[in-house]
Amino acid sequence: MQSPNILIIIAFLISAVRAASGNSTGVNAEEQTIVSVVFRYNPSKVAAGVAGGLYFIASLCLFTRLFMNKAWWGLCLPIASTFMSVGFFMRIPMAIYPNSLPIFLVQQLFTLLPPAAYLAFNYILYGHFIVDCVDRRHSWIKPEKVARYFVISDITTFLIQGGGGGLETSKTQTSDKLGADILLAGLVIQTLSYALFILLVVHAWRSILRVGILPRQEPWGMILWILMFSSIAYMIRCIYRVIELGQGNGGYLVTHEIYFYLLDSLPLLIGICTYIVYWPTKYLDSSSQDLPIK
């Protein structure tokens, strides 16, 4: 990601911290910390260590898969998983030093950014699948441009969320409410964008069936299943984020750490682990060998 976008993300996170600090109530000022006003709970060091360890193991397995198959186009997946594991491990010092802004920002960056790379991997895989395994007519959008369009959509919606986070720092109640609404709108649009991608996969699947091809009998059939399975797992996380933000600072989901792990971290882990078991190039390569000479 380019440095201007990184600066916007950092500004967004700082804005969120300031907004939470300004909106927190019922907490003794002497006891307030960055963590307490944002999360309203003390992060579990044990849970962070377990989650970080699981993501690190997943990263090693994904790197092994990638290097064994020399599928460099999928490099974003293991790299993002590695950053995610670091993000979870950073929750340990964050719990020890709850007022450290650098630790908090690194933790947030390394847990908020990687999921975008998980989605990008699916976008790229979809394009390879349509081009290498089936006919381009089965796709609504030109397969070579799917990744570009959806990545641009993700960046745009993230910038919208950043703008909303900036407005939340305003001292006026009207601007603060507007900022929260914009932030939520950006997240909703992002979720709808990925829902559109899932519909794109469903359309391709149905189109293939209509011409009499049964995916389960084809060497590439598993790609459709792993695309759908991982996408549903990622969508669970997207919906959770929308509901969490919709409840506002101090809402039930944001104040209970268990839901962060069950509805955010776990679905993402399940989604990426799908590719450890079923690394897609195995099916793409065998399918390419079966294609007729044009």
Side-chain angles (χ1 to χ4, degrees):
M1 183 172 289
Q2 297 177 348
S3 56
N5 290 336
I6 290 293
L7 293 177
I8 292 172
I9 294 167
I10 292 175
F12 166 61
L13 292 174
I14 293 175
S15 299
V17 174
R18 290 175 177 172
S21 300
N23 295 335
S24 61
T25 58
V27 182
N28 191 315
E30 296 180 357
E31 299 176 353
Q32 284 186 355
T33 63
I34 294 174
V35 173
S36 68
V37 298
V38 173
F39 297 132
R40 304 294 184 87
Y41 60 74
N42 295 319
S44 169
K45 295 188 283 291
V46 174
V50 171
L54 290 174
Y55 270 88
F56 182 72
I57 293 171
S59 301
L60 292 179
C61 294
L62 288 168
F63 270 119
T64 301
R65 281 291 207 175
L66 184 138
F67 283 114
M68 288 179 61
N69 293 274
K70 295 182 173 58
W72 310 121
W73 59 266
L75 197 58
C76 60
L77 190 62
I79 289 179
S81 180
T82 302
F83 278 107
M84 196 83 168
S85 69
V86 174
F88 283 115
F89 284 132
M90 288 299 295
R91 289 176 73 90
I92 298 176
M94 185 183 72
I96 300 173
Y97 306 102
N99 256 329
S100 172
L101 183 60
I103 292 177
F104 176 83
L105 290 178
V106 170
Q107 182 274 148
Q108 288 289 81
L109 281 171
F110 281 30
T111 53
L112 288 176
L113 290 182
Y118 303 160
L119 304 187
F121 181 86
N122 276 13
Y123 303 151
I124 298 170
L125 175 58
Y126 173 85
H128 278 282
F129 165 69
I130 295 295
V131 172
D132 297 341
C133 303
V134 297
D135 197 284
R136 286 175 169 82
R137 63 192 171 93
H138 296 301
S139 180
W140 272 332
I141 305 173
K142 289 184 178 180
E144 297 88 351
K145 297 183 178 181
V146 166
R148 182 189 308 172
Y149 291 160
F150 281 98
V151 167
I152 290 175
S153 173
D154 288 343
I155 293 175
T156 301
T157 55
F158 197 89
L159 294 179
I160 293 173
Q161 295 173 56
L167 282 176
E168 278 194 307
T169 62
S170 172
K171 299 299 182 181
T172 65
Q173 185 175 359
T174 301
S175 296
D176 181 80
K177 179 64 168 58
L178 178 61
D181 291 341
I182 292 175
L183 190 61
L184 179 59
L187 192 53
V188 169
I189 295 172
Q190 184 181 48
T191 302
L192 292 175
S193 174
Y194 197 69
L196 177 60
F197 172 74
I198 294 178
L199 288 177
L200 192 66
V201 178
V202 172
H203 168 77
W205 199 331
R206 289 172 59 87
S207 178
I208 291 168
L209 289 173
R210 279 197 295 268
V211 297
I213 300 175
L214 298 178
R216 66 175 181 272
Q217 297 178 352
E218 300 293 335
W220 45 257
M222 186 57 69
I223 293 179
L224 284 171
W225 287 102
I226 57 180
L227 262 178
M228 284 301 301
F229 182 81
S230 61
S231 292
I232 291 172
Y234 299 156
M235 181 56 69
I236 291 173
R237 186 258 185 184
C238 291
I239 295 173
Y240 159 74
R241 282 295 189 182
V242 170
I243 297 175
E244 178 194 45
L245 189 59
Q247 290 181 346
N249 183 51
Y252 186 79
L253 290 178
V254 76
T255 57
H256 291 75
E257 187 178 24
I258 186 172
Y259 295 108
F260 166 71
Y261 287 107
L262 289 180
L263 299 176
D264 186 302
S265 311
L266 183 58
L268 291 175
L269 181 63
I270 292 173
I272 64 175
C273 284
T274 304
Y275 293 110
I276 297 175
V277 181
Y278 303 102
W279 185 253
T281 54
K282 170 185 175 181
Y283 309 102
L284 289 172
D285 292 342
S286 60
S287 301
S288 298
Q289 295 170 5
D290 295 338
L291 288 176
I293 299 176
K294 298 182 180 179

